[in-house]
Amino acid sequence: MRKSTRPDPSFPIILAVESSCDETSAAISKNGEILSNIVATQAVHENYGGVVPELASRAHQQNIVPIVHQALRDANITKTMLNAAAYTQGPGLLGALLVGSSFVKSLAWGLQIPLLSVNHMQAHILAHFIESPQPQFPFLCLTVSGGHTQLVVVRDYLDMEIIGETLDDAVGEAFDKIAKLLGLPYPGGPHLDRIAQQGNPKRFSFPITSMPDLNFSFSGIKTAVLYFLRDQIKQNERFVEENLPDLCASVQATLISMLLEKVEAAVSQTGIREIAIAGGVSANSGLRNQLKVLAQQKQWQVYIPKIEYCTDNAAMIAMAAHYQYLGGQTDTLTASPNPRLKFGKQSND
Ligand code: KG4
Ligand code: ZN
């Protein structure tokens, strides 16, 4: 029988599992270095125009064992070499989170290793520490995903404060819902981004809601686009197909300006000039380009993750788990998922 001993826990080897929404992912890190990161995207939801929670849970159940095995194999690590096991505790879909948490808790119990419960949104931010260049503390992070839009002051790996967030829809949700109105498949964000690259961003303008503080609101623009399209289609039923690139480019430009306006305000308020973006929408080519241009004008230092670390992945969960492990923030087996899990200090606490 092959014998493997657990290595020095000051260079921890951690298995991390992400299952908060429609990606089943597993990663292995060794002393904060990612050795493998396997992501299985659930295609089943495309037929329904959105994530179906029950189908997501079932797909996680089917994927989790092979994905974890593949992550271990690719990292050349055996289960008995693990020092800790981490899972996404929330926020996310309860049924989906339960699959990852039950699996990881059982594994931690079976191997008698510590359990680490990770906040998904904090992990998106810590994806910046997977590779170099890495932001210097304190930095400002605009975290933009399918469920959240947050402006966060990051003082240390696990010391974060939310200074602004959306009061209704997340920006990823706005991308996806507007893409759906334009007849694009789910998830619409990446499709809208691709088509926008051929369009004129100044062709159409939409009324937007601007909050006086650092908070966001994206439900208004979705309704504005809905009414605009309804009126235009009354006059020309081929309006969307004839103007798709310009519509995508104009919507994208509006959403990006709503985001960057708040980043500028947050810089003025905090004086912090190290700026990062994170989460699925940080894969958007327009946002990435415009942030770089703005940073040059304003002399900010910007950090933009590789595309594979923008959308959901377990490598980011492993990074957060690594710092939690070093900080002794392990959990007990009674820990359970929380679909509305929050982190850090909230500005309205
Ligand atoms: O972080 P993420 O993978 O999952 C959540 O935690 O929600 O973010 C998913 C969101 C979806 O709304 C998706 O449409 C959006 O990120 N997204 C994009 C792009 N790639 C992903 N939105 C705009 N442009 C993109 N290129
Ligand atoms: Zn996410």
Side-chain angles (χ1 to χ4, degrees):
M1 197 175 88
R2 193 143 66 118
K3 188 165 173 258
S4 44
T5 45
R6 250 171 224 147
D8 180 353
S10 53
F11 295 92
I13 299 180
I14 299 176
L15 163 73
V17 169
E18 155 63 29
S19 73
S20 65
C21 192
D22 57 347
E23 262 97 21
T24 317
S25 180
I28 304 290
S29 67
K30 182 176 184 182
N31 200 28
E33 187 195 332
I34 300 300
L35 302 184
S36 64
N37 178 40
I38 312 296
V39 183
T41 301
Q42 304 175 357
V44 61
H45 309 287
E46 281 166 22
N47 306 330
Y48 300 90
V51 177
V52 183
E54 177 57 30
L55 295 181
S57 308
R58 286 192 219 166
H60 284 307
Q61 279 175 335
Q62 281 166 355
N63 292 340
I64 197 157
V65 172
I67 292 290
V68 167
H69 275 145
Q70 199 183 330
L72 286 163
R73 231 183 359 255
D74 283 12
N76 205 16
I77 294 289
T78 60
K79 284 199 290 283
T80 52
M81 293 163 78
L82 297 173
N83 296 106
Y87 71 100
T88 304
Q89 187 175 29
L93 301 168
L94 181 58
L97 292 166
L98 273 165
V99 178
S101 66
S102 317
F103 179 90
V104 170
K105 284 202 285 183
S106 313
L107 190 86
W109 181 76
L111 296 172
Q112 291 295 300
I113 55 175
L115 174 73
L116 298 152
S117 305
V118 172
N119 182 299
H120 181 90
M121 298 312 295
Q122 213 165 8
H124 267 303
I125 297 173
L126 294 174
H128 280 282
F129 296 93
I130 296 174
E131 288 181 349
S132 293
Q134 302 180 351
Q136 307 287 308
F137 299 117
F139 65 93
L140 264 179
C141 189
L142 172 72
T143 318
V144 277
S145 74
H148 294 80
T149 304
Q150 299 176 329
L151 267 167
V152 184
V153 175
V154 187
R155 299 204 175 83
D156 205 339
Y157 298 108
L158 303 173
D159 180 3
M160 304 185 183
E161 181 184 358
I162 298 171
I163 56 168
E165 61 189 324
T166 182
L167 302 179
D168 42 53
D169 292 353
V171 66
E173 213 174 333
F175 265 105
D176 294 342
K177 285 180 177 169
I178 295 173
K180 199 169 175 179
L181 294 176
L182 296 172
L184 303 178
Y186 178 85
H191 295 284
L192 196 147
D193 181 3
R194 187 175 34 80
I195 299 168
Q197 288 168 30
Q198 271 100 56
N200 173 4
K202 299 206 169 106
R203 172 84 188 284
F204 303 109
S205 60
F206 306 101
I208 54 170
T209 328
S210 187
M211 300 286 123
D213 47 23
L214 295 179
N215 290 326
F216 304 86
S217 166
F218 292 102
S219 64
I221 175 164
K222 179 195 63 195
T223 316
V225 174
L226 175 74
Y227 289 155
F228 173 77
L229 292 178
R230 194 192 55 186
D231 294 346
Q232 297 297 324
I233 290 167
K234 266 190 210 152
Q235 294 163 34
N236 169 11
E237 59 182 28
R238 291 174 50 81
F239 178 77
V240 171
E241 345 168 20
E242 285 172 6
N243 297 285
L244 192 59
D246 290 350
L247 282 166
C248 290
S250 302
V251 165
Q252 180 163 301
T254 311
L255 291 171
I256 294 171
S257 73
M258 291 167 82
L259 293 171
L260 294 182
E261 180 202 335
K262 294 297 174 179
V263 173
E264 281 195 68
V267 171
S268 307
Q269 189 170 309
T270 61
I272 299 172
R273 308 176 77 78
E274 292 269 304
I275 315 295
I277 52 173
V281 180
S282 62
N284 183 267
S285 61
L287 177 61
R288 296 166 85 90
N289 293 336
Q290 286 192 40
L291 181 63
K292 281 186 212 152
V293 171
L294 191 64
Q296 217 161 20
Q297 285 166 8
K298 305 267 177 190
Q299 299 191 321
W300 301 341
Q301 199 63 42
V302 287
Y303 301 87
I304 299 175
K306 258 194 191 162
I307 301 277
E308 66 194 277
Y309 299 132
C310 291
T311 45
D312 289 349
N313 65 86
M316 68 185 198
I317 305 299
M319 284 315 294
H322 173 72
Y323 292 109
Q324 286 180 217
Y325 183 89
L326 296 186
Q329 294 184 17
T330 57
D331 220 332
T332 64
L333 292 175
T334 57
S336 55
N338 178 352
R340 298 183 179 279
L341 188 68
K342 297 207 180 336
F343 71 89
K345 213 172 131 223
Q346 316 277 309
S347 53
N348 53 358
D349 273 358

